[in-house]
Amino acid sequence: MPTEEDSNQYAEASMPNIEAEVDLEDSHRYPESNSLNQPLLKRNRTLSTNPLAIVGSKVSHIESLDYEINENDLFKQDWRSRSKVQVLQYIFLKWTLACLVGLLTGLIATFINLAVENIAGYKLLAVVGYIQEKRYIAGLVYLTASNFLLTLIAAILCVCFAPTAAGPGIPEIKAYLNGVDTPNMFGATVLIVKIFGSIGAVAAGLDLGKEGPLVHIGSCIASLLGQGGPDNHRIKWRWLRYFNNDRDRRDIITCGAASGVCAAFRAPVGGVLFALEEVATWWRSALLWRSFFSTAVVVVVLRAFMEICNSGECGLFGKGGLIMFDVSGVTVKYRAMDIIPVVVIGIIGGVLGSLYNHLLHKVLRLYNLINQKGKLHKLLLSLSVSLFTSACLYGLPFLAKCTPCNSSLPESACPTNGRSGNFKQFNCPEGYYNDLATLLLTTNDDAVRNIFSTGTSSEYHPFSLLIFFTLYCILGLITFGIAVPSGLFLPIILMGSAYGRLLGVAMGSHTSIDQGLFAVLGAASLMAGSMRMTVSLCVIFLELTNNLLLLPITMIVLLIAKTVGDSFNPSIYEIILHLKGLPFLDANPEPWMRNFTVGELADAKPPVIALCGIEKVSHVVDILKNTTHNAFPVVDDGVVPPVGLADGATALHGLILRAHLVQVLKKKWFLREKRSTEEWEVREKFTSVDLAERDGKIEEVAVTSDEMEMYIDLHPLTNTTPYTVVESMSVAKAMVLFRQVGLRHLLIVPKYQAAGVPPVVGILTRQDLRSYNILSAFPHLARSKSREKGN
């Protein structure tokens, strides 16, 4: 376990309280408005980085991914040697994988929905049987024991077999697509635990959804297909070598994330836009088409199984299992005055969403302290939440008054004692129903359908809606963060729909908007206020409701809620990323980064370790054993300089990765004399597939004393086209380049080229561009930042 000092690096939400270590004279010397050609401040201490982060519930060592194309001699030869047939095969296989991702995600989503609806359905039918017999204590014991057992299974799977399967997985997917290698997030074990853990947790009645886990499941399927299976049993088919790189794996995981959202809401366009707006950092038109193709396959699979299940061949599934709210047959009318309650819903959603984010942040920090104590504490925390949830779901409906059924309704519709229905009898006499039991003693998906129902203006009492809203606010805070697969979508939808419907009840006859539509707008506003999504969320709700007339007011609600929420705190996923310590690079750099150069940042780092084009084996081994750097500049001394440069210039040949150096040592590709190798010599020993492997470690390599005196020609394996920036470039501009291109290393070259001047003055990595690390090394910037906020 990390020490308290280490945990502050990745779990502290606020910036450190940096004392003023420089007197007033220094602050006048380095004013905030200095130009780039003058040093803004003096270096306080060395720029340090912490590669630790919480992935799942484990503290892991974090590295970056190589999304940049490594244009070395082997890559160029491999690309030149590809025939038209191979290029077409590569394109065809991309689309085939996209199809398989959609197909498997749709099948697994159907399996999860069938399992949840049947397990929860039979459980609730048994509870209703006890209630009809007036055996209330037995009903409570049965419900509590069933939920306890289901939660125990889900928690044991996560705690003992795949800790990274706990939670939604969306923050880690965002970090991966941003360029962070989140270990053990997409394995076969994680996939299996995520599937069965989600079934157990959702069927247990916990206040969580399967939407977030489905995004993770889709990403796991995509990753496993792209790499040919699990790490220990990977298929070595020749065609899969095309996808044995981080760049193509990023694209296929993006398709998997889009497919997961589509499977959760049956919203293909919404899934694509969710991947574009929320999880993906890098996007292009070809990826857009493949993602859309994957979601289209998911919709076809879901639709096929829904047709089968509507015929009654899926047990208790029926029309359940998917959040559907079809109001295509409902006439949506609203007047100009209805804009006022719509605006009010947006404001409430922004305020409550930011408040929910703030409180959940505190709860997650508390849970982190509990989870650090061991597996037993994780299990006890999960089971305690399950007991509390079961007691509330069963006990609170007794506080509600029985309501007589509307005489216009048929006897089969009110009251109902089945698994689903809008008018649950619960403990009421014949001809009466319990509105709170209708919302609580059912599955989460049915609860959404019930509270979204239209034409039921007198079905729910304000007191029952208030109890429902209060309960799910509490459950939404204490449930997320326990050691089970969980999603945030459904808890937020339930909370938002409750206050939306309450506002509709309060408006009464003063508005022409149905109370069910108010519930939809409330759910949308709270999701925008917490998750800060707009376009994708609008399309998802549009595809859920199946009515274009809701589009204008939904857009207004989402824009207002997001604007209000942004004025208080970041989105919930950004907060979780910060708590876990994942080095996620934001799209917008800090304003103070404009007045700070990468050259000044390089001065705060240790000197660059460069290798010669033809290097001695002993020197390479020594560097790999005594450093943790993942790339080294390759320079050539004594080259004939171009006209205009003085003799003695040093040429920058490129950048070589640590993994490639380890591969060279493993394959014993050594030279007895100091010379350059021929192209055929390299192709004899290496293939592009060999250079895609990243698992080798220097500790696993054995080199004899005779081999230590030999040489290695690094030229063929060196990326000759690394991205470089001039040392006078601002940190803000460098950060935008780093993020948009998807880099792992960014070389800093000197402004003036001359003899004796090294060709590389520094290397920037992801950790170097994080504002937390920069402000820790340069406290003057923290003071500058506080002055900006004060103004």
Short mmCIF file of all heavy atoms in Angstrom, two decimals, residues 254 257-259 261-262 267-276 295 536 539-540 543:
data_model
loop_
_atom_site.label_atom_id
_atom_site.label_comp_id
_atom_site.label_asym_id
_atom_site.label_seq_id
_atom_site.Cartn_x
_atom_site.Cartn_y
_atom_site.Cartn_z
N THR A 254 -12.45 2.15 -29.05
CA THR A 254 -13.43 3.22 -29.22
C THR A 254 -14.73 2.66 -29.78
O THR A 254 -15.83 3.04 -29.33
CB THR A 254 -12.88 4.30 -30.16
OG1 THR A 254 -11.63 4.78 -29.66
CG2 THR A 254 -13.85 5.46 -30.27
N ALA A 257 -16.54 0.93 -26.91
CA ALA A 257 -17.21 1.85 -25.99
C ALA A 257 -18.53 2.35 -26.58
O ALA A 257 -19.55 2.42 -25.88
CB ALA A 257 -16.29 3.03 -25.66
N ALA A 258 -18.53 2.69 -27.87
CA ALA A 258 -19.76 3.14 -28.52
C ALA A 258 -20.80 2.01 -28.53
O ALA A 258 -22.00 2.26 -28.30
CB ALA A 258 -19.45 3.59 -29.95
N SER A 259 -20.36 0.78 -28.78
CA SER A 259 -21.29 -0.35 -28.79
C SER A 259 -21.89 -0.59 -27.41
O SER A 259 -23.07 -0.98 -27.30
CB SER A 259 -20.55 -1.61 -29.26
OG SER A 259 -20.04 -1.45 -30.56
N VAL A 261 -22.59 1.66 -25.03
CA VAL A 261 -23.66 2.64 -24.78
C VAL A 261 -24.89 2.30 -25.62
O VAL A 261 -26.04 2.40 -25.15
CB VAL A 261 -23.17 4.07 -25.10
CG1 VAL A 261 -24.30 5.08 -24.99
CG2 VAL A 261 -22.04 4.45 -24.17
N CYS A 262 -24.66 1.90 -26.85
CA CYS A 262 -25.78 1.50 -27.71
C CYS A 262 -26.53 0.32 -27.13
O CYS A 262 -27.77 0.29 -27.13
CB CYS A 262 -25.27 1.18 -29.11
SG CYS A 262 -26.53 0.56 -30.23
N ALA A 267 -29.46 2.92 -28.47
CA ALA A 267 -29.30 4.23 -29.09
C ALA A 267 -28.03 4.23 -29.92
O ALA A 267 -26.96 4.59 -29.42
CB ALA A 267 -29.25 5.33 -28.03
N PRO A 268 -28.08 3.82 -31.21
CA PRO A 268 -26.85 3.71 -32.00
C PRO A 268 -26.16 5.04 -32.24
O PRO A 268 -24.94 5.14 -32.08
CB PRO A 268 -27.34 3.08 -33.32
CG PRO A 268 -28.80 3.36 -33.37
CD PRO A 268 -29.27 3.38 -31.95
N VAL A 269 -26.91 6.06 -32.62
CA VAL A 269 -26.28 7.37 -32.86
C VAL A 269 -25.79 7.96 -31.54
O VAL A 269 -24.70 8.55 -31.48
CB VAL A 269 -27.27 8.32 -33.56
CG1 VAL A 269 -26.62 9.67 -33.82
CG2 VAL A 269 -27.77 7.72 -34.86
N GLY A 270 -26.56 7.79 -30.50
CA GLY A 270 -26.14 8.27 -29.19
C GLY A 270 -24.86 7.59 -28.71
O GLY A 270 -24.01 8.22 -28.09
N GLY A 271 -24.71 6.30 -29.02
CA GLY A 271 -23.48 5.60 -28.64
C GLY A 271 -22.27 6.15 -29.34
O GLY A 271 -21.21 6.34 -28.73
N VAL A 272 -22.41 6.43 -30.65
CA VAL A 272 -21.29 7.00 -31.40
C VAL A 272 -20.93 8.37 -30.86
O VAL A 272 -19.74 8.70 -30.65
CB VAL A 272 -21.63 7.08 -32.90
CG1 VAL A 272 -20.53 7.80 -33.67
CG2 VAL A 272 -21.84 5.68 -33.47
N LEU A 273 -21.93 9.20 -30.60
CA LEU A 273 -21.67 10.54 -30.10
C LEU A 273 -21.12 10.51 -28.68
O LEU A 273 -20.32 11.38 -28.30
CB LEU A 273 -22.95 11.38 -30.15
CG LEU A 273 -23.44 11.72 -31.56
CD1 LEU A 273 -24.77 12.47 -31.49
CD2 LEU A 273 -22.41 12.56 -32.30
N PHE A 274 -21.53 9.52 -27.87
CA PHE A 274 -20.95 9.38 -26.53
C PHE A 274 -19.46 9.10 -26.62
O PHE A 274 -18.66 9.68 -25.88
CB PHE A 274 -21.66 8.26 -25.78
CG PHE A 274 -21.05 7.93 -24.45
CD1 PHE A 274 -21.38 8.66 -23.32
CD2 PHE A 274 -20.13 6.89 -24.31
CE1 PHE A 274 -20.81 8.36 -22.09
CE2 PHE A 274 -19.56 6.58 -23.09
CZ PHE A 274 -19.90 7.33 -21.97
N ALA A 275 -19.08 8.18 -27.52
CA ALA A 275 -17.66 7.89 -27.69
C ALA A 275 -16.91 9.13 -28.16
O ALA A 275 -15.79 9.39 -27.71
CB ALA A 275 -17.48 6.74 -28.69
N LEU A 276 -17.52 9.89 -29.05
CA LEU A 276 -16.87 11.10 -29.57
C LEU A 276 -16.76 12.19 -28.52
O LEU A 276 -15.71 12.81 -28.35
CB LEU A 276 -17.65 11.61 -30.79
CG LEU A 276 -17.28 12.99 -31.34
CD1 LEU A 276 -15.83 13.01 -31.81
CD2 LEU A 276 -18.20 13.37 -32.49
N THR A 295 -22.36 -0.04 -33.79
CA THR A 295 -23.62 0.21 -33.07
C THR A 295 -24.82 -0.27 -33.88
O THR A 295 -25.83 -0.71 -33.30
CB THR A 295 -23.76 1.71 -32.75
OG1 THR A 295 -23.69 2.47 -33.96
CG2 THR A 295 -22.66 2.16 -31.81
N SER A 536 -24.41 14.14 -27.10
CA SER A 536 -24.67 12.70 -27.03
C SER A 536 -25.87 12.42 -26.13
O SER A 536 -26.70 11.55 -26.44
CB SER A 536 -23.44 11.96 -26.51
OG SER A 536 -23.06 12.42 -25.23
N VAL A 539 -29.17 13.18 -27.95
CA VAL A 539 -29.53 12.17 -28.95
C VAL A 539 -29.96 10.88 -28.25
O VAL A 539 -30.90 10.20 -28.71
CB VAL A 539 -28.35 11.92 -29.90
CG1 VAL A 539 -28.65 10.77 -30.85
CG2 VAL A 539 -28.03 13.18 -30.69
N ILE A 540 -29.31 10.51 -27.14
CA ILE A 540 -29.71 9.31 -26.40
C ILE A 540 -31.14 9.43 -25.93
O ILE A 540 -31.97 8.51 -26.10
CB ILE A 540 -28.74 9.05 -25.22
CG1 ILE A 540 -27.40 8.53 -25.73
CG2 ILE A 540 -29.35 8.04 -24.25
CD1 ILE A 540 -26.35 8.40 -24.65
N GLU A 543 -33.53 9.16 -28.82
CA GLU A 543 -33.73 7.79 -29.26
C GLU A 543 -34.53 6.98 -28.24
O GLU A 543 -35.24 6.04 -28.61
CB GLU A 543 -32.38 7.13 -29.54
CG GLU A 543 -31.67 7.72 -30.75
CD GLU A 543 -30.32 7.07 -31.02
OE1 GLU A 543 -29.38 7.34 -30.24
OE2 GLU A 543 -30.21 6.33 -31.99
#
